[in-house]
């Protein structure tokens, strides 16, 4: 055990570097995915069949072809002719994660907007709100509260998805664990790694639950964020609701 | 063939496909099918155990389940690969995929069991059915009905995560495509074909599951 700890001490700076890359990929990928999800989710509800068709095609292609295929495409195919487009690996990672999970998120956005009760739409017409006002002041805030739980799940999936990026030469946390494994015993290195990922996932879940409590409070539902934090919003079984 | 001039060369498609299809059958489909069976059975066992074991045991089980769900499959694969060097990688892949997805399926079963109306339990009691018979003859058949589409969606997710097996040296279809690309310095056809094969297999299946979902929905 002491040998493990000594090896860990030596590897610590590298592990922190790897952790930083993993966090970078998670945050960057999540932000990109969020923007793509909103854009495609709204386009997929458009009345224009061309826009809707475009959104549906992009969504199905990125949902249907596996994350690793997309990463390999961006990493191996783009640098060669005819594209000749060589992107930095971390950028490729963020792009791949953002596109893949953005496509999944688009379905969540679309579904949540569709679940806002009919009466809300009719009310905006009765108040003769403009299209933008209707979406950003009435429909979206309600859809937002509905979509957060599913987005939380996707965010955790994205975090877990970052662990494959070492296959495209990014030295993330998993890559550093693979190096740590050589100097320590396997159990130690990977248990440590799993715990680190778990802690990140847990922090993300708590943050998203707080976001959900806030979104609901702003709609006049549920408790205020401060009260919600005092009594954890993770339910008794520890599940993400 | 002057590759640099053409964007798409069918010769490369036909050269790369045999290895890719072989890997698709022997790894991608193999792991998806066996992994799904393990996940479906183990998931049901976890769901039942969480309901019927004493509270502390159930709490530990829930924690372990969440831990597995919230940590990367890739790291779990690597862990198992280096910890159990005696087991062939493909077997490990099947087991780890099975366990990982069992934790997701357990949640699906839980929701399905919760969705069985309370009156069904009472009716079983009124007919003085044993606890085992209540589960096997009344609750589980009804719970399965509503869980089937969600389970199917997880099978598709598992299918799309099989390329992760590359991290434990198992050559799945995507890895085979990448190997072809690396040895010919020509990636576009093989990688795009890998994507197309995934899409061709998963998109119709997910449409089918969507229809199943509508058909099996309770019309109450």
């Amino acid at each position: 055990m002491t040998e493990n700890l000594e090896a860990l001490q030596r590897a610590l700076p590298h592990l922190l570097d790897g952790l930083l890359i993993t966090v970078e990929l998670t945050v960057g990928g999540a932000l990109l995915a969020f923007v793509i999800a909103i854009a495609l989710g709204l386009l997929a509800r458009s009345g224009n069949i061309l826009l809707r068709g475009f959104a549906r095609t992009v969504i199905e292609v990125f949902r249907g072809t596996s994350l690793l295929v997309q990463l390999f495409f961006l990493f191996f195919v783009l640098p060669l002719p005819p594209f000749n487009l060589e992107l930095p690996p971390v950028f490729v990672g963020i792009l791949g994660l953002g596109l893949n999970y953005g496509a999944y998120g688009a379905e969540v956005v679309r579904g949540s907007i569709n679940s806002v009760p009919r009466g809300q739409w009719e009310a905006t017409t009765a108040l003769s709100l403009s299209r933008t006002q209707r979406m950003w002041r009435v429909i979206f805030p309600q859809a937002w509260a509905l979509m957060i739980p599913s987005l939380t799940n996707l965010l955790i999936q994205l975090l877990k998805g970052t662990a494959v990026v070492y296959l495209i030469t990014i030295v993330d946390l998993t890559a550093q664990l693979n190096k740590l494994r050589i100097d320590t015993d396997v159990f130690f290195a990977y248990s440590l790694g799993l715990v680190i990922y778990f802690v990140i996932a847990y922090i993300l879940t708590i943050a998203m639950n707080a976001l959900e409590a806030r979104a609901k409070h702003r709609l006049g539902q549920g408790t205020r964020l401060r009260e919600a934090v005092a009594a954890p919003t993770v339910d008794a079984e520890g599940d993400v609701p | 063939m002057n590759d640099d001039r053409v964007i798409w060369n069918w010769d490369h498609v036909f050269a790369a496909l045999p290895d890719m299809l072989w890997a698709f059958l022997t790894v991608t489909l193999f792991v998806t099918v066996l992994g799904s069976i393990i996940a479906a059975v183990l998931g049901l066992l976890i769901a039942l155990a969480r309901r019927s074991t004493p509270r502390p045991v159930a709490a530990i089980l829930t924690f372990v389940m969440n831990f597995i769900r919230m940590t990367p499959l890739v790291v779990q694969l690597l862990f198992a690969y280096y910890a159990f060097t005696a087991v062939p990688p493909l077997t490990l892949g099947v087991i780890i995929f099975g366990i990982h997805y069992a934790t997701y399926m357990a949640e699906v079963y839980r929701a399905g069991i919760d969705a069985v109306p309370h009156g069904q339990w009472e009716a079983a009691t009124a007919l003085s059915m044993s606890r085992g018979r209540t589960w096997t003859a009344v609750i589980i058949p009804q719970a399965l009905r509503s869980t089937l589409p969600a389970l199917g969606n997880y099978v598709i997710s598992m299918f799309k995560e099989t390329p992760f097996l590359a991290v434990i040296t198992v050559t799945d279809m995507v890895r085979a495509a990448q190997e072809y690309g690396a040895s010919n310095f020509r990636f576009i056809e093989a990688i795009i074909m890998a994507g197309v094969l995934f899409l061709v297999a998963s998109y119709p299946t997910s449409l089918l599951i969507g229809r199943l979902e509508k058909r099996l929905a309770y019309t109450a």
Side-chain angles (χ1 to χ4, degrees), chain B residues 87-100:
Chain B
V87 187
L90 188 60
T91 314
L92 272 182
V94 169
I95 295 170
I96 298 295
F97 267 77
I99 294 175
H100 191 85

Side-chain angles (χ1 to χ4, degrees), chain A residues 60-61 63-69 72-73 76-77 80-83 104 156-157 159-160 163-164 166-167 174 177-178 181 186-187 190-191 193-195 197-198 201-202 205 237-239, chain B residues 4 7 50 62-63 65-72 74-76 78-79 82-83 100 104 107 110 160-161 163-164 166-167 174 178 185-188 191-192 194-196 198-199 202-203:
Chain A
E60 294 307 342
V61 165
R63 281 191 342 149
T65 56
S66 183
L67 174 63
L68 200 60
V69 175
F72 277 1
F73 182 87
F76 289 116
V77 177
L80 293 175
F83 305 103
Y104 281 98
I156 304 302
Q157 301 272 16
L159 166 69
K160 300 196 302 176
V164 282
Y166 82 85
L167 291 178
T174 305
L177 291 171
N178 286 338
R181 178 199 78 228
V186 172
F187 255 86
Y190 288 118
S191 305
L194 288 175
V195 169
Y197 277 108
F198 181 72
Y202 208 79
T205 309
E237 303 195 330
D239 292 331
Chain B
D4 287 359
I7 296 176
R50 280 179 67 196
T62 304
F63 177 77
M65 202 183 88
N66 281 322
F67 189 84
I68 296 174
R69 266 154 55 104
M70 286 165 88
T71 51
V74 168
V75 181
Q76 291 165 11
L78 287 165
F79 194 160
Y82 290 107
H100 191 85
Y104 281 97
E107 272 302 285
R110 185 181 66 89
K160 283 182 292 201
E161 287 198 340
F164 291 4
V167 304
V174 177
Q178 192 230 330
F185 209 60
R186 179 78 186 177
F187 288 96
I188 184 162
I191 300 235
I192 290 204
V196 168
F198 266 113
L199 199 59
S202 69
Y203 185 56

